[in-house]
Amino acid sequence: MSSNVVWHSHPVDQQTRAAQKSQEPLVIWFTGLSASGKSTIAGALEQILTRQGYHTYLLDGDNVRHGLCKDLGFSDDDRKENIRRVGEVAKLAADAGLIVLTAFISPFRSDRRIVRDMLPQSQFVEVFVDTSLKVCQQRDPKGLYEKAGRGEIKQFTGIDSPYETPEAAEVRLEGGTQSVAESVNQLLEYLHNSNVLKAGYEPISINA
Amino acid sequence: MSSNVVWHSHPVDQQTRAAQKSQEPLVIWFTGLSASGKSTIAGALEQILTRQGYHTYLLDGDNVRHGLCKDLGFSDDDRKENIRRVGEVAKLAADAGLIVLTAFISPFRSDRRIVRDMLPQSQFVEVFVDTSLKVCQQRDPKGLYEKAGRGEIKQFTGIDSPYETPEAAEVRLEGGTQSVAESVNQLLEYLHNSNVLKAGYEPISINA
């Protein structure tokens, strides 16, 4: 057996994994009403970051609700457990050295606090997509507000379940008036100023 | 606003993330008795892969039982749910483009089958660390077999809870007789022959 490559018992840790990717691990946690624009903005930001060479991962209802959290419904307890698990997975993905984006309504302050407390301060950014209920109801891309208004969906955030506005989110996006490009650029500027993005950034425009 | 960088609505997918890392996503699922050597071998393999430029992540009891699965105990139902969640997280991490290693006893065939079925065939490798109960009991690094023997730990795999031997694991390691280096080299050879590792590999020796 060759002894050219020698293994020492230093486990691979977050720092090693992040350094390999030339980046600082981070969780960018989007919160806001249904149809506020969370997933769209997060997806656009992820694409720009990936193009710039960052290693990202986006967690949202699509890849969590049918898998990891498929045993959970929409009661207060289940929503709380849903956000807890998403927080834990975001933490693991950040431990893997990734820049993690999450797009969940996450309506309760206490749940967002629990997730924030899981991570070092420098690794958590809360982004409030502040789109008014009225605008969200007008968009209603999946007809959910209409169904909730007719009582066909219960415990729908903004209708018969509260949304607790963030009090100290690192970033607030005016989701009702800003374009997706404007929101992404605001985020890029924030991340740049926070030294998360090492290189300069170029503002983008959207051609969706 | 500059229009140099234009965003198109193509979400970042597994293929994009894996290509960025110049690798094929994969879950390497280690199974075997407590003290069989799963974590040690997985950790050594992770380190070698990382040094070779692969982007990996290791899931084990240390980073899961105190976080994502801290609400679970060791009853059959809780073990089943523990493995299901780990499987779902491994799937997400593979979706992020990573080579994922997991080190859990995962004693039940049905649970390992559930995880296997979550992933495309090419993205799942089951590794049976086949170390005899006698050897594991002699090692007993945490004194768990001794406690289980005295009845202080209940439902301990191999003592009063069954370990169901894999029938068709892709790799079987003789954990009782092979050194860690030999096991890692066997795995590197398997991954190389399966075209998971693009470059040739150099056998390692261990200097723990």
Side-chain angles (χ1 to χ4, degrees), chain A residues 108-126:
Chain A
F108 302 124
R109 260 178 223 135
S110 56
D111 294 343
R112 296 192 301 263
R113 164 59 59 183
I114 286 169
V115 176
R116 181 184 287 272
D117 289 345
M118 287 178 190
L119 290 149
Q121 199 184 333
S122 63
Q123 291 184 17
F124 186 82
V125 172
E126 187 174 346

Side-chain angles (χ1 to χ4, degrees), chain A residues 8-61:
Chain A
H8 299 269
S9 56
H10 300 301
V12 181
D13 60 11
Q14 184 185 38
Q15 201 178 354
T16 309
R17 297 189 197 98
Q20 186 188 29
K21 295 166 185 61
S22 303
Q23 67 187 28
E24 297 295 328
L26 182 68
V27 174
I28 308 175
W29 188 277
F30 291 80
T31 173
L33 293 170
S34 179
S36 59
K38 299 179 299 298
S39 285
T40 305
I41 297 166
L45 177 64
E46 184 187 31
Q47 192 173 339
I48 298 298
L49 291 175
T50 302
R51 281 205 201 163
Q52 294 180 353
Y54 295 97
H55 295 253
T56 65
Y57 193 59
L58 173 61
L59 289 165
D60 61 17

Side-chain angles (χ1 to χ4, degrees), chain A residues 1-12 16-17 20-21 40 43-59 63-64 66-71 81 84-86 88-89 91-93 95-98 180-182 185 202-208, chain B residues 1-12 16-17 20-21 40 43-59 63-64 66-71 81 84-86 88-89 91-93 95-96 98 179-182 185 202-208:
Chain A
M1 184 158 306
S2 161
S3 61
N4 292 342
V5 184
V6 177
W7 176 80
H8 299 269
S9 56
H10 300 301
V12 181
T16 309
R17 297 189 197 98
Q20 186 188 29
K21 295 166 185 61
T40 305
L45 177 64
E46 184 187 31
Q47 192 173 339
I48 298 298
L49 291 175
T50 302
R51 281 205 201 163
Q52 294 180 353
Y54 295 97
H55 295 253
T56 65
Y57 193 59
L58 173 61
L59 289 165
N63 55 19
V64 166
H66 300 290
L68 179 66
C69 298
K70 71 178 176 188
D71 54 322
E81 173 64 7
R84 187 191 75 81
R85 289 190 202 168
V86 170
E88 294 287 1
V89 173
K91 182 182 174 177
L92 291 170
D95 189 43
L98 300 173
V180 174
E182 285 167 337
N185 286 328
E202 230 181 323
I204 63 157
S205 67
I206 297 279
N207 181 9
Chain B
M1 184 156 307
S2 160
S3 61
N4 292 342
V5 183
V6 177
W7 176 80
H8 298 270
S9 57
H10 300 300
V12 180
T16 310
R17 298 190 197 96
Q20 185 187 30
K21 295 166 184 62
T40 305
L45 177 63
E46 184 187 30
Q47 192 174 339
I48 298 298
L49 291 175
T50 302
R51 280 204 201 162
Q52 295 181 351
Y54 295 96
H55 295 253
T56 65
Y57 193 59
L58 173 61
L59 289 165
N63 55 18
V64 166
H66 301 290
L68 179 66
C69 298
K70 71 178 176 187
D71 54 322
E81 173 64 7
R84 186 191 74 81
R85 289 188 202 168
V86 170
E88 293 287 3
V89 173
K91 182 181 173 177
L92 291 170
D95 190 43
L98 300 173
S179 70
V180 174
E182 285 167 337
N185 286 329
E202 228 180 325
I204 64 158
S205 68
I206 297 281
N207 182 8

Side-chain angles (χ1 to χ4, degrees), chain B residues 24-55:
Chain B
E24 297 295 327
L26 182 68
V27 174
I28 307 174
W29 188 278
F30 290 80
T31 173
L33 292 170
S34 179
S36 59
K38 300 178 299 296
S39 284
T40 305
I41 297 166
L45 177 63
E46 184 187 30
Q47 192 174 339
I48 298 298
L49 291 175
T50 302
R51 280 204 201 162
Q52 295 181 351
Y54 295 96
H55 295 253

Side-chain angles (χ1 to χ4, degrees), chain B residues 55-203:
Chain B
H55 295 253
T56 65
Y57 193 59
L58 173 61
L59 289 165
D60 61 17
D62 284 344
N63 55 18
V64 166
R65 273 281 180 188
H66 301 290
L68 179 66
C69 298
K70 71 178 176 187
D71 54 322
L72 301 174
F74 292 88
S75 69
D76 282 6
D77 277 357
D78 279 8
R79 280 166 177 258
K80 185 185 172 74
E81 173 64 7
N82 184 55
I83 295 304
R84 186 191 74 81
R85 289 188 202 168
V86 170
E88 293 287 3
V89 173
K91 182 181 173 177
L92 291 170
D95 190 43
L98 300 173
I99 294 175
V100 189
L101 305 93
T102 68
F104 295 87
I105 298 172
S106 48
F108 303 124
R109 261 180 221 133
S110 57
D111 294 343
R112 297 193 301 263
R113 164 59 60 182
I114 286 168
V115 176
R116 182 184 286 272
D117 289 346
M118 288 178 188
L119 290 149
Q121 199 184 333
S122 64
Q123 292 184 16
F124 186 82
V125 172
E126 187 174 344
V127 178
F128 176 29
V129 185
D130 190 3
T131 308
S132 71
L133 179 62
K134 192 176 163 187
V135 168
C136 293
Q137 283 175 312
Q138 282 165 353
R139 291 179 179 170
D140 203 14
K142 299 173 194 164
L144 298 176
Y145 284 101
E146 204 187 320
K147 284 186 186 173
R150 289 200 302 262
E152 294 169 23
I153 304 177
K154 299 289 183 190
Q155 297 179 298
F156 195 78
T157 300
I159 304 301
D160 56 351
S161 185
Y163 179 80
E164 298 175 357
T165 302
E167 288 169 330
E170 278 77 4
V171 181
R172 180 180 155 270
L173 304 174
E174 297 197 2
T177 56
Q178 289 180 191
S179 70
V180 174
E182 285 167 337
S183 291
V184 169
N185 286 329
Q186 186 181 334
L187 287 163
L188 289 172
E189 188 179 356
Y190 175 84
L191 296 173
H192 181 68
N193 291 340
S194 312
N195 295 315
V196 172
L197 306 187
K198 294 164 303 298
Y201 72 97
E202 228 180 325

